[in-house]
Protein backbone atom coordinates (compact mmCIF):
# COMPACT_ATOMS: atom_id res chain seq x y z
CA UNK A 1 0.00 0.00 0.00
CA UNK A 2 3.03 2.25 -0.18
CA UNK A 3 2.06 3.29 -3.69
CA UNK A 4 -1.20 4.78 -2.37
CA UNK A 5 0.71 7.13 -0.05
CA UNK A 6 2.32 8.80 -3.02
CA UNK A 7 0.13 11.19 -5.01
CA UNK A 8 2.29 10.39 -8.03
CA UNK A 9 1.73 6.65 -7.69
CA UNK A 10 -2.02 6.99 -7.35
CA UNK A 11 -2.20 9.29 -10.38
CA UNK A 12 0.11 7.06 -12.42
CA UNK A 13 -1.83 3.85 -11.80
CA UNK A 14 -5.21 5.49 -12.38
CA UNK A 15 -3.93 7.28 -15.48
CA UNK A 16 -2.48 4.11 -16.98
CA UNK A 17 -5.77 2.25 -16.63
CA UNK A 18 -7.64 5.28 -17.98
CA UNK A 19 -5.25 5.41 -20.91
CA UNK A 20 -5.95 1.78 -21.77
CA UNK A 21 -9.72 2.29 -21.61
CA UNK A 22 -9.48 5.54 -23.58
CA UNK A 23 -7.36 3.90 -26.27
CA UNK A 24 -9.85 1.05 -26.62
CA UNK A 25 -12.79 3.45 -26.76
CA UNK A 26 -11.16 5.83 -29.24
CA UNK A 27 -9.78 3.12 -31.54
CA UNK A 28 -12.97 1.05 -31.67
CA UNK A 29 -15.33 4.02 -31.90
CA UNK A 30 -16.67 4.20 -35.41
CA UNK A 31 -14.79 1.05 -36.44
CA UNK A 32 -16.52 -0.91 -39.19
CA UNK A 33 -16.50 -4.21 -37.30
CA UNK A 34 -18.03 -2.65 -34.20
CA UNK A 35 -20.72 -1.00 -36.29
CA UNK A 36 -21.43 -4.35 -37.97
CA UNK A 37 -21.88 -6.02 -34.58
CA UNK A 38 -24.23 -3.27 -33.43
CA UNK A 39 -26.51 -3.27 -36.50
CA UNK A 40 -29.08 -5.70 -35.15
CA UNK A 41 -31.89 -3.20 -35.12
CA UNK A 42 -34.05 -2.47 -32.15
CA UNK A 43 -34.80 -6.00 -31.01
CA UNK A 44 -35.55 -4.97 -27.46
CA UNK A 45 -38.57 -2.97 -26.44
CA UNK A 46 -36.31 -0.71 -24.38
CA UNK A 47 -35.57 2.85 -25.33
CA UNK A 48 -32.52 2.86 -23.02
CA UNK A 49 -30.75 -0.09 -24.67
CA UNK A 50 -31.73 1.00 -28.16
CA UNK A 51 -30.44 4.50 -27.38
CA UNK A 52 -27.17 3.14 -25.97
CA UNK A 53 -26.76 0.99 -29.07
CA UNK A 54 -27.29 4.03 -31.31
CA UNK A 55 -24.81 6.00 -29.16
CA UNK A 56 -22.18 3.30 -29.73
CA UNK A 57 -23.01 2.86 -33.42
CA UNK A 58 -22.57 6.59 -34.07
CA UNK A 59 -19.03 6.44 -32.68
CA UNK A 60 -19.68 8.55 -29.60
CA UNK A 61 -17.74 6.25 -27.29
CA UNK A 62 -14.60 8.14 -28.29
CA UNK A 63 -15.85 11.18 -26.36
CA UNK A 64 -15.93 9.11 -23.19
CA UNK A 65 -12.35 8.09 -23.99
CA UNK A 66 -11.35 11.73 -24.39
CA UNK A 67 -13.04 12.53 -21.08
CA UNK A 68 -11.02 9.77 -19.40
CA UNK A 69 -7.82 11.27 -20.81
CA UNK A 70 -8.79 14.75 -19.56
CA UNK A 71 -9.55 13.44 -16.07
CA UNK A 72 -6.26 11.53 -16.02
CA UNK A 73 -4.39 14.69 -17.05
CA UNK A 74 -6.12 16.66 -14.27
CA UNK A 75 -5.16 14.03 -11.73
CA UNK A 76 -1.53 14.10 -12.87
CA UNK A 77 -1.39 17.90 -12.69
CA UNK A 78 -3.01 17.96 -9.25
CA UNK A 79 -0.64 15.29 -7.97
CA UNK A 80 2.33 17.31 -9.22
CA UNK A 81 1.00 20.32 -7.30
CA UNK A 82 0.74 18.27 -4.11
CA UNK A 83 4.33 17.65 -3.11
CA UNK A 84 3.88 15.63 0.08
CA UNK A 85 2.61 12.10 0.65
CA UNK A 86 -0.92 11.31 1.72
CA UNK A 87 -1.49 10.61 5.40
CA UNK A 88 -3.03 7.44 6.84
CA UNK A 89 -6.55 8.90 6.86
CA UNK A 90 -6.36 9.70 3.14
CA UNK A 91 -4.84 6.32 2.30
CA UNK A 92 -7.66 4.58 4.19
CA UNK A 93 -10.22 6.50 2.15
CA UNK A 94 -8.45 5.48 -1.06
CA UNK A 95 -8.45 1.85 0.07
CA UNK A 96 -12.16 2.02 0.89
CA UNK A 97 -12.79 3.56 -2.54
CA UNK A 98 -10.91 0.72 -4.23
CA UNK A 99 -12.84 -1.86 -2.20
CA UNK A 100 -16.14 -0.16 -3.07
CA UNK A 101 -15.19 -0.15 -6.76
CA UNK A 102 -14.38 -3.86 -6.54
CA UNK A 103 -17.66 -4.66 -4.81
CA UNK A 104 -19.54 -2.60 -7.41
CA UNK A 105 -17.85 -4.57 -10.16
CA UNK A 106 -18.70 -7.87 -8.46
CA UNK A 107 -22.36 -6.80 -8.28
CA UNK A 108 -22.43 -5.57 -11.88
CA UNK A 109 -21.02 -8.80 -13.36
CA UNK A 110 -24.03 -11.00 -12.53
CA UNK A 111 -26.40 -8.26 -13.65
CA UNK A 112 -24.51 -8.02 -16.95
CA UNK A 113 -24.61 -11.81 -17.32
CA UNK A 114 -28.38 -11.84 -16.82
CA UNK A 115 -28.79 -9.07 -19.38
CA UNK A 116 -26.63 -10.91 -21.90
CA UNK A 117 -28.54 -14.15 -21.33
CA UNK A 118 -31.86 -12.35 -21.81
CA UNK A 119 -30.77 -11.02 -25.23
CA UNK A 120 -27.32 -12.01 -26.54
CA UNK A 121 -27.64 -9.45 -29.34
CA UNK A 122 -26.87 -6.74 -26.79
CA UNK A 123 -23.72 -8.34 -25.36
CA UNK A 124 -21.38 -5.62 -26.65
CA UNK A 125 -23.67 -2.88 -25.37
CA UNK A 126 -23.95 -4.54 -21.95
CA UNK A 127 -20.21 -5.04 -21.48
CA UNK A 128 -19.39 -1.54 -22.71
CA UNK A 129 -21.97 -0.03 -20.35
CA UNK A 130 -20.51 -2.07 -17.47
CA UNK A 131 -17.03 -0.75 -18.20
CA UNK A 132 -18.17 2.85 -18.69
CA UNK A 133 -20.25 2.94 -15.51
CA UNK A 134 -17.63 1.23 -13.36
CA UNK A 135 -14.60 3.24 -14.47
CA UNK A 136 -16.49 6.55 -14.62
CA UNK A 137 -17.62 6.19 -11.02
CA UNK A 138 -14.11 5.23 -9.92
CA UNK A 139 -12.56 8.18 -11.79
CA UNK A 140 -15.10 10.63 -10.42
CA UNK A 141 -14.47 9.55 -6.82
CA UNK A 142 -10.71 9.51 -7.30
CA UNK A 143 -10.71 12.93 -8.94
CA UNK A 144 -12.90 14.32 -6.16
CA UNK A 145 -10.42 13.10 -3.54
CA UNK A 146 -7.46 14.38 -5.52
CA UNK A 147 -9.02 17.85 -5.90
CA UNK A 148 -10.01 17.98 -2.25
CA UNK A 149 -6.60 16.92 -0.96
CA UNK A 150 -4.52 18.97 -3.39
CA UNK A 151 -5.74 22.10 -1.59
CA UNK A 152 -4.42 20.91 1.79
Amino acid sequence: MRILKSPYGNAAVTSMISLVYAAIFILTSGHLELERILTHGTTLNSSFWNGWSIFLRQGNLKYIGYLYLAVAACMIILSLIRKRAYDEYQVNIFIKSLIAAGVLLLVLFPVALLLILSDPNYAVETISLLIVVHWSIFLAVNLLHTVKWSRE
Side-chain angles (χ1 to χ4, degrees), residues 49-120:
W49 286 111
N50 293 331
W52 180 247
S53 182
I54 291 169
F55 178 82
L56 294 176
R57 197 175 324 129
Q58 290 176 344
N60 294 324
L61 196 59
K62 65 183 168 217
Y63 298 118
I64 296 174
Y66 293 141
L67 179 66
Y68 285 178
L69 292 176
V71 171
C74 289
M75 289 182 61
I76 290 172
I77 291 169
L78 289 172
S79 68
L80 291 175
I81 291 171
R82 182 183 176 89
K83 304 267 186 207
R84 61 181 194 271
Y86 293 125
D87 61 17
E88 291 299 319
Y89 171 74
Q90 294 164 332
V91 171
N92 284 334
I93 289 178
F94 274 136
I95 291 171
K96 288 177 184 174
S97 296
L98 289 172
I99 291 171
V103 168
L104 176 68
L105 189 61
L106 289 175
V107 169
L108 287 176
F109 269 135
V111 171
L113 179 63
L114 286 174
L115 289 171
I116 290 171
L117 290 175
S118 70
D119 191 355

Side-chain angles (χ1 to χ4, degrees), residues 35-44 49-50 53 57 119-125:
E35 289 179 12
R36 187 182 59 79
I37 291 171
L38 298 173
T39 57
H40 45 70
T42 55
T43 59
L44 285 178
W49 286 111
N50 293 331
S53 182
R57 197 175 324 129
D119 191 355
N121 288 332
Y122 284 81
V124 173
E125 289 92 336

Side-chain angles (χ1 to χ4, degrees), residues 10 75 78-79 86 94 142-150:
N10 178 40
M75 289 182 61
L78 289 172
S79 68
Y86 293 125
F94 274 136
N142 208 346
L143 181 65
L144 179 73
H145 287 114
T146 305
V147 167
K148 178 181 172 188
W149 293 329
S150 67

Side-chain angles (χ1 to χ4, degrees), residues 3 21 34 94 105 122 124 128 135-136 138:
I3 195 166
Y21 280 140
L34 181 67
F94 274 136
L105 189 61
Y122 284 81
V124 173
S128 63
W135 196 248
S136 296
F138 179 77

